[in-house]
Amino acid sequence: MENNNDKGHFQRKMQARHVVMLSLGGVIGTGLFLSSGYTIQQAGPLGTILSYLIGAIVVYLVMLCLGELSVHMPETGAFHSYAAKYIGPATGYTVAWLYWLTWTVALGSEFTAAGLLMQRWFPSVNVWIWSAVFALMIFLFNALTVKFFAESEFWFSSVKVVTIVIFIIIGGAAMFGIIPMADSEPAPFISNITASGWFPHGATAILMTMLAVNFAFSGTELIGIAAGETENPEKTIPKAIHTTLWRLVIFFIGTIVILSALLPMSDASVLESPFVAVMERVGVPYAADIMNFVILTAILSAANSGLYASSRMLWSLADKKTISPWFAKLTKQGVPLNALLISMVGGALALLSSIIAPGTVYITLVSISGLAVVAVWMSISASQYMFRRQYIREGHAVKDLVYRTPLYPVVPIVSFILCLASCIGIAFDPTQRIALYCGVPFIAVCYAAYYLTERVNKKRGQVHDARTTD
């Protein structure tokens, strides 16, 4: 089966298991393995559990909206196309650039992090050598075929998923005294969760950490991007959405409960990876090395998903004729190689800025990409709301939709408001406020760039028409 919109070049090779693992690969990364300890320290154990529960609800609502859109119109680079069609072409253009930047910045930091992790085993080898090796490996995974990319991502993600399941089982057993703690410590049960009080830094800390939690869940929307390269999208996409969501809730909430129960709040902030600390407390041998390997696969998996997402966004912009058609060229295997190369160069530039100007250029990029994910989710909710209204206005029956967002219009409105609330929340946190200072002007520049290029293209068209008439 081929997608007419893609002129028969993109190949529908992804199965439900690939799409689920692609989405999980994008989500389960350093946010869960490294930063979760910081969130526990900020909002307290109970506050963190609540933050992740709210985050899971937000993601679920946004994905219900994306499900209806991507099943009705399975396109590569999906939500940028929906925003362009149902909100406005300038919004679609802006959403695409925001999302491209999100993943490109992530690529830069992921290759650096992967190189740094290898220092544990090969301290004499330069970080840059490892970064370059991993960058080449991820590029080849993406450049060969879509099937090869999907298969590599499936196995990368499987390592993380198996680790989290084992972690929850071992941690749960230690929590209730089934497995003895190291140094003969008594089983903590749930005493650590409430040891520092219900909300040690007040309930407002939950609002402030909401944006960080939303970023931790970002990547689920990759299901929509992959819709144009998926077998049987009308069956595969809804199945992938539901499977991904319940796994995410179990993995994230389960992990946070175990971390909160086994780590005293005072320890959570100073630890590089709370997972390593918990494994060592339980007395798991070689815990640090095992977790180092898992975090390495987590980072490479996120980079794999990220390069896929950013290249498809550039392809989609070119396909809509808003940037050069050079980016829309596909290989015989259905891979947008030019878009892939430029995304890789973008990742390399982000990598350079993290060394040369970490306090200015890089922090600006990170701030914009942080806000971008939530802006993209808001565009998905708004697109679905507008799509359904137009669909009914054109005389179609809602029952004819293969997949329907339930409780319309409540779901898109509530998901939009919750995303907006997390953006407002960062205005009260001095450390995160820079995301607004950098993100809002960047969005304005994108809108201005769209209207400017439109005017230039129009003038060129008029000149061309005049010449042909002469």
Side-chain angles (χ1 to χ4, degrees), residues 65 82 107 127 149 152 159 197 229 232 263 282 288 306-307 317 344 362 390 409 411 448 463 466:
C65 295
Y82 309 145
L107 275 179
V127 172
F149 157 77
S152 66
V159 173
E229 293 167 85
N232 273 335
L263 270 187
V282 178
L307 186 57
L317 277 166
M344 203 67 191
Y362 188 66
Q390 188 174 316
V411 168
V463 169

Side-chain angles (χ1 to χ4, degrees), residues 53 81 88 112 118 181 248 268 284 292 306 345 366 378 410 421 436:
L53 273 170
S81 306
T112 310
M118 292 303 284
M181 299 286 283
L248 276 182
V284 174
N292 204 53
V345 170
V366 169
M378 288 164 77
V410 176
L436 290 175

Side-chain angles (χ1 to χ4, degrees), residues 122-396:
F122 304 95
S124 58
V125 181
N126 198 305
V127 172
W128 298 113
I129 294 169
W130 288 116
S131 295
V133 167
F134 290 133
L136 181 67
M137 184 175 85
I138 295 299
F139 179 77
L140 291 173
F141 283 163
N142 275 266
L144 294 171
T145 64
V146 171
K147 185 77 188 278
F148 190 79
F149 157 77
E151 208 58 51
S152 66
E153 187 52 39
F154 177 80
W155 292 107
F156 267 146
S157 293
S158 299
V159 173
K160 295 191 288 196
V161 169
V162 169
T163 305
I164 288 173
V165 170
I166 293 169
F167 176 81
I168 290 171
I169 292 166
I170 292 174
M175 190 174 151
F176 295 106
I178 300 164
I179 294 177
M181 299 286 283
D183 307 325
S184 305
E185 281 183 56
F189 295 96
I190 58 164
S191 60
N192 281 333
I193 294 177
T194 53
S196 307
W198 290 88
F199 303 109
H201 297 150
T204 50
I206 297 172
L207 184 64
M208 286 186 195
T209 55
M210 268 321 300
L211 198 67
V213 169
N214 281 344
F215 301 154
F217 278 112
S218 69
T220 27
E221 68 291 326
L222 283 165
I223 292 172
I225 288 187
E229 293 167 85
T230 305
E231 288 178 2
N232 273 335
E234 61 282 351
K235 287 182 182 170
T236 306
I237 299 297
K239 185 182 174 186
I241 284 172
H242 286 295
T243 309
T244 303
L245 287 165
W246 70 255
R247 283 187 190 179
L248 276 182
V249 172
I250 292 169
F251 295 160
F252 272 75
I253 307 298
T255 302
I256 294 297
V257 169
I258 299 294
L259 288 175
S260 301
L262 294 177
L263 270 187
M265 186 180 157
S266 55
D267 290 3
S269 61
V270 293
L271 301 163
E272 194 193 4
S273 172
F275 280 72
V276 176
V278 165
M279 289 295 203
E280 283 176 342
R281 262 192 185 192
V282 178
V284 174
Y286 306 109
D289 285 314
I290 295 165
M291 283 315 301
N292 204 53
F293 172 73
V294 172
I295 294 166
L296 183 66
T297 53
I299 287 169
L300 294 176
S301 161
N304 207 23
S305 300
L307 186 57
Y308 172 84
S310 54
S311 63
R312 266 45 177 194
M313 272 295 153
L314 279 187
W315 176 88
S316 189
L317 277 166
D319 187 56
K320 296 278 179 290
K321 299 185 173 53
T322 45
I323 59 171
S324 167
W326 182 79
F327 291 100
K329 287 180 180 171
L330 298 171
T331 63
K332 283 179 184 173
Q333 288 74 34
V335 175
L337 196 61
N338 295 342
L340 207 63
L341 279 163
I342 296 300
S343 295
M344 203 67 191
V345 170
L349 291 173
L351 194 86
L352 271 176
S353 75
S354 69
I355 302 136
I356 298 162
T360 49
V361 179
Y362 188 66
I363 193 78
T364 303
L365 291 174
V366 169
S367 302
I368 295 167
S369 71
L371 195 66
V373 179
V374 182
V376 167
W377 288 2
M378 288 164 77
S379 81
I380 292 169
S381 304
S383 298
Q384 192 273 328
Y385 178 79
M386 312 284 252
F387 159 71
R388 182 78 75 91
R389 282 181 66 189
Q390 188 174 316
Y391 189 77
I392 293 165
R393 210 166 39 236
E394 287 170 355
H396 302 291

Side-chain angles (χ1 to χ4, degrees), residues 35-102:
S35 314
S36 44
Y38 173 76
T39 314
I40 291 169
Q41 202 271 331
Q42 288 294 303
L46 195 68
T48 302
I49 294 166
L50 278 175
S51 286
Y52 275 89
L53 273 170
I54 297 165
I57 291 165
V58 174
V59 173
Y60 186 60
L61 297 177
V62 171
M63 290 306 109
L64 288 175
C65 295
L66 184 60
E68 179 170 302
L69 291 164
S70 54
V71 169
H72 187 71
M73 296 162 285
E75 288 188 33
T76 296
F79 38 76
H80 135 70
S81 306
Y82 309 145
K85 195 170 181 180
Y86 298 108
I87 304 172
T91 304
Y93 178 84
T94 305
V95 162
W97 279 118
L98 281 168
Y99 202 67
W100 181 81
L101 188 77
T102 297

